[in-house]
Amino acid sequence: MISLPGLKALPLIPEKIVNRAAQNADVVVRTRREDVGKALDLISFLQKKSRDEGLLSLEESISDIKKRNVPYVDFVPEQIIVMIDGMDVHFMAEIMTNIFLVGQPDDFEALVLYLYMVAFLIIWEEFRYSLILYREGAWKELVTIRNEYVRVLPEECKAAFKI
């Protein structure tokens, strides 16, 4: 969250997007289980790769990711580049928010894009947590992401976001 003296902290993901993604999410998971599963598998791959091999290894995986048959695969490489370029988490969130809002997603698109948004925020904060200088702030952000953004997801989706 962005916090300035005298101002209320701004969320990383606007409530409008959280609500839109949560709307009918259970129905989407039941009716599009295979497609949602593919997105969750990609998220697990990205998290494991960044944890095991480091953040830069994600950039090396872009060509492989583009070949995968997963929903909204075009969104993922763009966000990897933004993250690798060292963008602040709030700028990353703003870019993803704009893409989400401009796209005016249906229920399925909203859930999948939201899953990717949350995944990239977690990956970035886990990277920051690995750096001793940023550990305390990153941990607070990870807890916030879990409490604010993962909690609204259907149970089938929450398992991909073990922090």
Side-chain angles (χ1 to χ4, degrees), residues 105-125:
D106 64 22
D107 290 345
F108 172 69
E109 294 166 339
L111 177 61
V112 171
L113 290 173
Y114 181 77
L115 290 171
Y116 291 152
M117 291 173 76
V118 172
F120 279 112
L121 294 176
I122 289 173
I123 289 168
W124 179 248
E125 290 301 335

Side-chain angles (χ1 to χ4, degrees), residues 53-105:
E53 300 175 32
L55 205 55
L56 291 176
S57 68
L58 296 179
E59 188 172 30
E60 297 166 0
S61 300
I62 288 177
S63 62
D64 175 51
I65 291 168
K66 287 180 178 180
K67 294 175 189 172
R68 290 178 179 231
N69 182 23
V70 295
Y72 307 101
V73 71
D74 294 339
F75 179 82
V76 175
E78 294 172 2
Q79 299 317 308
I80 289 173
I81 297 299
V82 168
M83 188 169 48
I84 298 297
D85 284 346
M87 283 281 187
D88 177 75
V89 71
H90 300 97
F91 292 126
M92 281 177 38
E94 185 68 25
I95 290 168
M96 291 187 290
T97 295
N98 290 333
I99 292 169
F100 186 101
L101 294 175
V102 168
Q104 300 179 348

Side-chain angles (χ1 to χ4, degrees), residues 8 14 18 21 39 46 53 55 95 107 119 129 135 151 158:
K8 185 179 176 191
V18 176
L46 294 171
E53 300 175 32
L55 205 55
I95 290 168
D107 290 345
Y129 183 76
R135 184 158 285 172
R151 71 172 172 74
K158 288 180 181 177

Side-chain angles (χ1 to χ4, degrees), residues 130-143:
S130 71
L131 306 172
I132 299 207
L133 180 63
Y134 299 109
R135 184 158 285 172
E136 184 177 334
W139 180 249
K140 288 177 184 176
E141 288 292 343
L142 283 167
V143 170

Side-chain angles (χ1 to χ4, degrees), residues 21-33:
Q23 177 184 346
N24 300 321
D26 289 325
V27 173
V28 169
V29 169
R30 279 195 312 275
T31 59
R32 306 277 307 261
R33 183 171 303 280

